[in-house]
Amino acid sequence: MDATDLARWQFAIVTLYHFLFVPITIGLSFVVAVFHTQWVRTHNPDWMRLAKFFGKLFTINFALGLVTGIVQEFQFGMNWSAYSRFVGDIFGAPLAIEALLAFFLESVFLGLWIFGWGRIPEKLHASTMWIVHVGTLLSAYFILSANSFMQHPVGFRFNPDSGRAELTDFFAVLTNKVQLVTFPHVAFSAYLVGGGVLMGVALHLMRRESLRASALLRGVDDLDSTAGATRGGTGSSATAEMTMTAQARQATAARADVPLYRKAARIGAVLTLVAGVGVAVSGDLQGKIMTEVQPMKMAAAEALYETSPQGAGAPFSVLTVGSLDGQHANALIEIPGLLSFLGTGTWDGEVMGINDLKAQYAAKYGATGDPTLVDAATDYVPNIPTTYWTFRLMIGTGIAAAGIAALVLWTTRRGRAPTSKWVLYAAVAAPLLPVFGNSFGWIFTEVGRQPWAVFGLMTTASGVSPSVSVGEVVTSMTVFTLLYGALAVVEIKLFLAYVRKGAEPFDPPTEPSDVDEDAPLAFAY
Amino acid sequence: MELTTFWFIVIGVLWTGYFVLEGFDFGVGMLFPLLGGKRHAQDAADADKRRRLLLNTIGPVWDGNEVWVLTAGGATFAAFPNWYATMFSGFYLPLLLILVALILRNLGFEYRHKRPEPEWKARWDLAIFWGSLVPPLLWGVALTNVVRGVPIDANMEYTGNLFTLLNPVGLLGGLVFVALFLTHGAIFVALKTDGPIRREARAVAGRVGVVAAVLAVVLLTLLGLDHGKTVSWATTAVAVVALLAGLAANAREREGWAFLGTAITIAMAVASYFLMLFPNVMPSTTDAAFNLTVTNASSTDYTLKVMTVVALVFTPIVILYQAWTYWIFRKRLSTKHIPADVSLEHAAEPDTALRS
């Protein structure tokens, strides 16, 4: 492995890791803002408990998203300095603006939200979480416009004197047609994750509290009969009765929380479903644009080697066995015409195949004679098995998440709070499916762009830092991988511990005042 | 004024904002073992309360402080891509260490209070301490080397290695950053707290401040002799005077004035660095012809114009709302304000019901 391969692996590892937390941050900040607003509007204690509970889970997740985001900003310069020089005139601006407009909003207002209990008026307090949420969306917008430039460069010219790409129209970069479909797709995917986390956590707690209440009540019944048997004797009936009442109280409390979590689970399911529709619609639009600007990526999504001419209707294979090299593929399930529809919007539209595109790309880009761009060895075909499978997994996980949401809405209809083992499986799958769906989507779109870093302008291989040695990349990759791995364990354990703890009992908030100078803080680290 | 000069100033201002603000929370983190340790605390419980008190002085603001460095990095990328590319790829290992340190420190701030076990807290305390010590040290080493110049070839690539940076003046730069931020942080603690810890923090600031002053004078004189201009000597003089005034105010228990003093010191020290640097952004020790300057490292005029509009509109807004949060959390804190540890102690019992 040379420095390029290592740098690519490192980019993949730290970026995918970072993006586990990003959609949770976007999605959950929305969820918490809604809960907090509902509390301010209705003063129903349920909303306050949910806002605080999911707010805590949000902060656990946000912390890791934030710190891994710093690495993102630095690594362009560290590992990809040639790339940074080449596109810095265009690419740097969205990053700087992201920091100035989004990161400050998120960080400052999250600090206000976390420490604001009892210190700022409630309406202002609820709005701080909305501002955090807006910050997360702004952040997504700017970084995605940078990414969209890499997918489909616009608003620039290549300056032969400076040897770099230079910005000519910043507005064009911000309204890149790839960006206009990518941003909604990513935002809806984040809401899908937010809905999934909410649904999963709430389902688990709904089931647990329901089972706990039943178990405790069984215990009360047992104690009741024991107490009855010993009554009149010399037994310790008083103690038994005390235990009984304590247990009965706990059981009542547990039972009382079931509707709370049921409500949260249903809200999560609705969010998941709505977001799922948004993901599908925006993804469909994205497919058309992708076919137009990066036809190779669409061909790679299907491992379509031979062009499917107009009128033939290219099928979409759901599952394939055998190799994906164009020789031995055996589609097990095929949907006729679907690939044509995804790519062109008609069921029999022409979809270019890998072989034709390869010749086309070679003629177009190979002829420039620019050795920093491409050379004879440049392979214009991305890694087909990766694009083929991640494309399917992306779609599959999304559909599965929406399916779970529909089932949850059905099984919890009219006050039902099911407790079967299936609820637990659904609770685990609900957050994980969309989170990994996001990862698959990113792997697909980034691998599918290869060999380009900036499509048609610069190859990934020519973007690496010339001054960075293999040893240095190995060091940083090892350090980040080990550190990130360890932190994942810490984060997940902490997250689960707080999930297990459940929503805290309602604690009426104190009005902000400076009267009681010695009162302990309503919230402190 | 040329836009490239304007953006050179903007980046200087962003680094200044970063070091003035994050400087004190680095200091607070470094003071963890001292002000929250055996020396001052009565017992383990008191030590924990003191550490939590220290954390809460910066709790609502440290995250916003840190964004200044992200903005500085982003602005460098946008306005001077070649500077960003050369510096970040050249200072690879120090930056890696800084990233690791920041990751651990930030998680320490957020996670320390989330579990009650002493081992959990002790581990994050270490992360907070080292994570607050390593970045100022390495930023000091890195930026001092930027001013002094590093080996850069005709292709703007850094040709040195880690040890090129670890020269005596570079290391002195690191120490000065650490000592200044320690002083700044101790004064911040004195400004934000009440009770015994306030007095102890003042005492620490007084002692460390003298060391910081001596080291800073030596460093800025050494750098100034090689790279100084009239105006950088002026800012250096202001930095030293402000530090001495700040220490005097600290000795008279005027913490607000003392904090203003150290803030000015840090700002003027950073200003001295940037003034000594201008019009270079990364001078080359290999050949002056290979210097990265505000001209050959910069973006196009169009990009700088776009960025200028954005910066002029939004920077004042950011400063306003960030200042407002400082106002909201202006109250002094003492250990009596720290509530009982409520992290996971009252957690519901494990899911025994589920296992049945």
Side-chain angles (χ1 to χ4, degrees):
Chain A
M1 244 193 236
D2 58 12
T4 306
D5 290 331
L6 289 165
R8 288 181 65 186
W9 271 106
Q10 178 168 354
F11 193 88
I13 292 168
V14 298
T15 308
L16 283 172
Y17 189 82
H18 174 61
F19 214 83
L20 297 174
F21 307 100
V22 171
I24 305 183
T25 300
I26 299 175
L28 269 192
S29 60
F30 173 73
V31 165
V32 174
V34 168
F35 288 160
H36 200 159
T37 308
Q38 284 298 95
W39 154 251
V40 173
R41 284 179 50 192
T42 64
H43 285 122
N44 174 345
D46 280 3
W47 296 119
M48 160 73 108
R49 294 180 62 199
L50 288 175
K52 282 200 165 178
F53 175 54
F54 282 96
K56 207 153 261 174
L57 298 181
F58 171 77
T59 56
I60 292 172
N61 169 78
F62 183 86
L64 212 44
L66 178 117
V67 295
T68 53
I70 310 176
V71 178
Q72 293 299 102
E73 202 202 46
F74 281 30
Q75 71 167 336
F76 291 110
M78 290 171 73
N79 277 346
W80 304 96
S81 69
Y83 168 83
S84 302
R85 287 183 212 282
F86 184 74
V87 294
D89 194 56
I90 303 143
F91 195 83
L95 262 72
I97 297 174
E98 184 190 17
L100 186 63
L101 264 70
F103 294 165
F104 273 117
L105 276 187
E106 293 176 67
S107 303
V108 170
F109 284 90
L110 184 62
L112 268 168
W113 189 80
I114 295 176
F115 285 85
W117 301 101
R119 289 210 214 177
I120 51 178
E122 60 172 15
K123 278 186 185 155
L124 180 65
H125 196 193
S127 65
T128 57
M129 188 48 96
W130 281 111
I131 296 175
V132 171
H133 180 60
V134 169
T136 64
L137 287 176
L138 280 175
S139 164
Y141 196 91
F142 287 109
I143 199 63
L144 287 174
S145 57
N147 179 265
S148 295
F149 178 82
M150 300 168 78
Q151 308 287 354
H152 176 54
V154 292
F156 78 101
R157 70 175 192 117
F158 176 74
N159 181 346
D161 297 333
S162 61
R164 63 180 184 179
E166 294 179 350
L167 186 62
T168 56
D169 185 352
F170 188 56
F171 188 71
V173 170
L174 291 183
T175 55
N176 186 339
K177 64 181 169 188
V178 172
Q179 158 73 352
L180 294 182
V181 289
T182 303
F183 174 72
H185 192 58
V186 170
F188 279 122
S189 306
Y191 292 126
L192 192 75
V193 171
V197 172
L198 173 59
M199 176 166 64
V201 169
L203 271 183
H204 162 65
L205 289 172
M206 175 189 85
R207 176 175 183 270
R208 187 190 74 181
E209 291 307 289
S210 186
L211 290 176
R212 204 157 72 94
S214 316
L216 286 165
L217 284 178
R218 265 201 308 278
V220 173
D221 288 345
D222 292 348
L223 278 171
D224 215 7
S225 49
T226 336
T230 52
R231 195 156 290 161
T234 56
S236 53
S237 64
T239 329
E241 242 163 70
M242 265 165 61
T243 321
M244 191 177 86
T245 40
Q247 277 206 344
R249 222 175 310 125
Q250 278 180 21
T252 320
R255 177 149 292 174
D257 276 353
V258 173
L260 173 81
Y261 295 126
R262 179 181 162 274
K263 176 163 73 179
R266 286 178 64 86
I267 295 172
V270 170
L271 180 57
T272 305
L273 270 184
V274 173
V277 172
V279 171
V281 172
S282 58
D284 180 54
L285 293 172
Q286 213 181 3
K288 316 275 185 282
I289 304 259
M290 180 177 81
T291 311
E292 188 192 325
V293 302
Q294 292 177 289
M296 182 66 91
K297 198 187 276 185
M298 195 51 163
E302 177 59 27
L304 180 76
Y305 281 85
E306 297 306 329
T307 299
S308 166
Q310 176 72 34
F316 179 87
S317 61
V318 180
L319 276 178
T320 302
V321 289
S323 64
L324 290 161
D325 56 4
Q327 316 290 327
H328 313 288
N330 259 321
L332 290 182
I333 313 170
E334 250 185 10
I335 305 174
L338 182 60
L339 185 69
S340 284
F341 183 77
L342 288 176
T344 65
T346 56
W347 292 94
D348 60 356
E350 182 194 60
V351 182
M352 295 280 283
I354 293 166
N355 293 335
D356 283 346
L357 286 168
K358 203 168 155 179
Q360 204 185 72
Y361 278 32
K364 186 171 177 190
Y365 302 110
T368 60
D370 182 352
T372 63
L373 196 56
V374 291
D375 54 35
T378 303
D379 183 3
Y380 296 99
V381 185
N383 185 312
I384 300 296
T386 309
T387 51
Y388 180 88
W389 288 113
T390 50
F391 190 65
R392 273 145 196 78
L393 285 165
M394 169 186 78
I395 296 173
T397 47
I399 291 175
I404 290 177
L407 277 175
V408 165
L409 281 180
W410 173 252
T411 51
T412 58
R413 70 191 184 281
R414 289 192 215 136
R416 286 176 173 79
T419 54
S420 84
K421 259 273 171 263
W422 289 102
V423 175
L424 194 60
Y425 298 146
V428 175
L432 292 184
L433 284 171
V435 165
F436 290 127
N438 272 268
S439 308
F440 291 131
W442 276 112
I443 298 173
F444 166 70
T445 200
E446 293 294 294
V447 171
R449 192 186 60 232
Q450 301 307 318
W452 306 104
V454 185
F455 186 82
L457 264 188
M458 181 184 229
T459 57
T460 308
S462 52
V464 288
S465 301
S467 66
V468 174
S469 67
V470 171
E472 283 174 319
V473 190
V474 169
T475 308
S476 70
M477 192 165 110
T478 313
V479 167
F480 280 128
T481 308
L482 293 178
L483 179 67
Y484 279 14
L487 293 178
V489 175
V490 172
E491 205 260 4
I492 290 169
K493 276 187 164 171
L494 192 61
F495 192 91
L496 292 180
Y498 273 87
V499 169
R500 269 195 295 278
K501 187 183 178 190
E504 305 211 17
F506 179 62
D507 179 22
T510 47
E511 285 296 308
S513 80
D514 288 330
V515 181
D516 190 0
E517 286 291 341
D518 289 348
L521 298 168
F523 178 87
Y525 272 168
Chain B
M1 190 185 348
E2 302 250 351
L3 276 182
T4 47
T5 309
F6 174 75
W7 273 91
F8 182 82
I9 296 171
V10 170
I11 287 164
V13 169
L14 291 169
W15 279 107
T16 304
Y18 176 58
F19 288 129
V20 168
L21 294 174
E22 183 115 303
F24 69 74
D25 61 51
F26 281 141
V28 172
M30 287 189 268
L31 287 167
F32 242 55
L34 183 60
L35 291 178
K38 287 193 195 97
R39 194 189 164 105
H40 294 296
Q42 294 149 8
D43 51 31
D46 186 42
D48 185 51
K49 273 223 156 154
R50 283 165 160 266
R51 284 168 192 225
R52 290 180 63 202
L53 172 63
L54 289 172
L55 264 194
N56 279 285
T57 61
I58 55 170
V61 296
W62 67 265
D63 196 354
N65 295 347
E66 193 159 291
V67 178
W68 284 83
V69 78
L70 290 173
T71 314
T76 311
F77 196 173
F80 300 103
N82 284 323
W83 186 5
Y84 170 79
T86 305
M87 183 159 111
F88 281 60
S89 62
F91 296 178
Y92 197 88
L93 292 176
L95 284 172
L96 173 67
L97 280 172
I98 288 174
L99 286 172
V100 171
L102 289 179
I103 288 173
L104 291 172
R105 176 181 104 105
N106 294 1
L107 288 178
F109 289 161
E110 281 296 329
Y111 286 177
R112 182 190 190 276
H113 65 285
K114 285 204 157 72
R115 294 197 76 99
E117 298 87 355
E119 311 81 55
W120 169 269
K121 291 186 170 181
R123 235 172 285 149
W124 288 120
D125 285 349
L126 276 180
I128 290 172
F129 173 74
W130 288 103
S132 300
L133 174 65
V134 168
L137 183 72
L138 293 178
W139 283 129
V141 171
L143 294 181
T144 307
N145 274 293
V146 169
V147 174
R148 294 185 73 232
V150 289
I152 293 172
D153 68 13
N155 298 319
M156 298 187 169
E157 297 296 343
Y158 176 75
T159 53
N161 54 40
L162 178 63
F163 298 101
T164 319
L165 304 177
L166 301 180
N167 52 70
V169 182
L171 289 170
L172 177 62
L175 284 183
V176 168
F177 274 48
V178 169
L180 273 181
F181 295 164
L182 253 176
T183 314
H184 194 43
I187 290 176
F188 179 78
V189 172
L191 177 66
K192 289 291 295 177
T193 59
D194 223 338
I197 205 164
R198 177 179 176 187
R199 201 177 53 244
E200 293 151 13
R202 267 200 314 261
V204 172
R207 260 173 281 145
V208 184
V210 175
V211 179
V214 173
L215 290 178
V217 168
V218 174
L219 172 75
L220 289 169
T221 310
L222 279 177
L223 287 175
L225 288 176
D226 283 340
H227 313 279
K229 310 176 173 80
T230 317
V231 31
S232 73
W233 282 113
T235 49
T236 296
V238 176
V240 175
V241 171
L243 184 54
L244 296 178
L247 293 177
N250 180 62
R252 299 207 179 132
E253 308 184 5
R254 303 290 297 270
E255 290 116 352
W257 289 105
F259 186 72
L260 184 67
T262 46
I264 292 176
T265 304
I266 292 169
M268 286 300 116
V270 178
S272 306
Y273 268 49
F274 274 76
L275 287 167
M276 285 189 262
L277 201 52
F278 188 82
N280 293 323
V281 294
M282 267 189 105
S284 167
T285 52
T286 313
D287 186 334
F290 304 155
N291 286 354
L292 271 71
T293 67
V294 287
T295 317
N296 70 12
S298 85
S299 283
T300 56
D301 206 44
Y302 175 74
T303 299
L304 293 180
K305 270 186 194 142
V306 171
M307 293 295 300
T308 303
V309 173
V310 174
L312 289 179
V313 173
F314 289 100
T315 313
I317 300 176
V318 167
I319 291 174
L320 270 180
Y321 67 68
Q322 196 166 21
W324 174 66
T325 58
Y326 276 88
W327 171 251
I328 292 199
F329 299 108
R330 67 192 177 279
K331 233 169 77 173
R332 279 184 190 271
L333 299 174
S334 70
T335 43
K336 63 178 179 257
H337 291 109
I338 303 301
D341 196 337
V342 288
S343 46
L344 279 172
E345 271 171 345
H346 310 294
E349 61 266 48
D351 306 11
T352 41
L354 290 184
R355 295 201 194 94
S356 58

